[in-house]
Amino acid sequence: LLFLWSLTVSIFGIGGVLGSSGSRYLTVKFGKKKCLLCNNVLMIVAASIMGCSKIAQSFEMILIGRFMCGVSAGLCVPLHHQYVGEISPKKLRGFANSTSSFFWSLGKAVGQISGQRELLGSQSLWPMLMAACGFPALVQLVTLPFFPESPPYLLMHKGDQEGCKKAIRQLWGEGQHQAEIDDIMKEKATMKNTKILSVLELVKEPAFRWQLYMIIILTATIQLCGINAV
């Protein structure tokens, strides 16, 4: 029983590693908007499986649902930050990216409060609690089609300059946006002369060694600060 509890908790992280590892390939091939839409479907399916686990009397459905949620979350974190940053005008980009962290924290707080036994953590309502992660995904699935694809993706990966201009006008309104388009073109020219490193190559690269040490130490100490116990 202890092994099953441990596996149920940790399988979310395993799915997260797999999801985040495949995010770069998927975004380059399909675009950030399409990936986010498909990711929402994955989360809704995972929520439905976990929500029906009690009726089906199957703990395996919770394991499968948790794994799928982990994959979805692993994909969503880099996708969301990239998409929000790329569709925001330059003067609001820092603010837009910072809101992502705020809403991640807010979502965790709402989930932990909702999980109390007095609310959705009771014997009869816990399937609803596990299925609740599908609601935000459903909201985004309904609203995201009204947004355009990321302008940098359209220009840099698809070479669609007209589509890029149309997306910029839809997002930022009418006006002179040539400076932003020129910036994207400069970034595209820079990327042609820059080698994209794999995760293994990044770890081996001496120039990034101290930055890597700092990130590992920071991430490890956050896990030891007691927040999970609290």
Side-chain angles (χ1 to χ4, degrees):
L1 187 61
L2 181 62
F3 171 75
L4 287 175
W5 273 113
S6 303
L7 185 61
T8 303
V9 172
S10 60
I11 203 167
F12 178 89
I14 296 169
V17 170
L18 294 176
S20 59
S21 300
S23 62
R24 178 182 169 271
Y25 170 78
L26 292 172
T27 52
V28 171
K29 187 170 179 63
F30 300 108
K32 297 171 181 66
K33 179 182 172 181
K34 286 182 181 178
C35 286
L36 282 170
L37 286 170
C38 294
N39 196 42
N40 290 327
V41 174
L42 179 63
M43 180 62 83
I44 291 169
V45 171
S48 302
I49 290 172
M50 291 190 295
C52 295
S53 60
K54 186 177 181 181
I55 297 173
Q57 296 183 348
S58 170
F59 71 88
E60 293 90 349
M61 291 175 68
I62 298 177
L63 283 170
I64 294 168
R66 286 274 297 172
F67 177 74
M68 292 172 67
C69 275
V71 173
S72 179
L75 282 167
C76 184
V77 172
L79 278 174
H80 181 78
H81 280 280
Q82 290 173 30
Y83 185 71
V84 169
E86 290 178 4
I87 67 172
S88 304
K90 189 179 290 186
K91 62 182 179 180
L92 295 176
R93 198 161 292 160
F95 170 75
N97 277 326
S98 65
T99 58
S100 302
S101 301
F102 169 77
F103 282 109
W104 276 111
S105 302
L106 180 63
K108 287 181 180 180
V110 170
Q112 289 173 347
I113 293 168
S114 302
Q116 299 301 307
R117 287 188 176 89
E118 293 78 9
L119 298 174
L120 295 178
S122 63
Q123 186 72 21
S124 58
L125 296 178
W126 67 261
M128 290 180 59
L129 178 67
M130 300 200 75
C133 59
F135 177 71
L138 180 62
V139 172
Q140 191 178 68
L141 185 65
V142 172
T143 56
L144 192 59
F146 297 100
F147 288 78
E149 181 55 87
S150 159
Y153 173 78
L154 291 171
L155 189 57
M156 294 169 64
H157 296 286
K158 292 295 184 181
D160 186 1
Q161 192 161 349
E162 286 303 314
C164 175
K165 290 179 179 178
K166 183 180 178 182
I168 287 175
R169 285 195 297 269
Q170 184 179 344
L171 289 165
W172 306 341
E174 297 294 336
Q176 294 295 325
H177 302 299
Q178 190 59 42
E180 286 84 356
I181 295 173
D182 291 341
D183 286 343
I184 298 171
M185 292 298 292
K186 289 177 184 176
E187 186 179 347
K188 183 179 181 180
T190 304
M191 284 182 65
K192 285 183 178 179
N193 302 319
T194 305
K195 183 186 177 184
I196 304 295
L197 300 177
S198 67
V199 175
L200 188 60
E201 289 171 332
L202 181 67
V203 171
K204 292 180 177 179
E205 179 60 46
F208 302 122
R209 193 62 50 79
W210 280 106
Q211 293 94 319
L212 192 64
Y213 288 158
M214 289 172 65
I215 291 170
I216 291 173
I217 292 169
L218 183 63
T219 307
T221 50
I222 286 174
Q223 298 303 316
L224 299 173
C225 74
I227 186 63
N228 293 326
V230 170

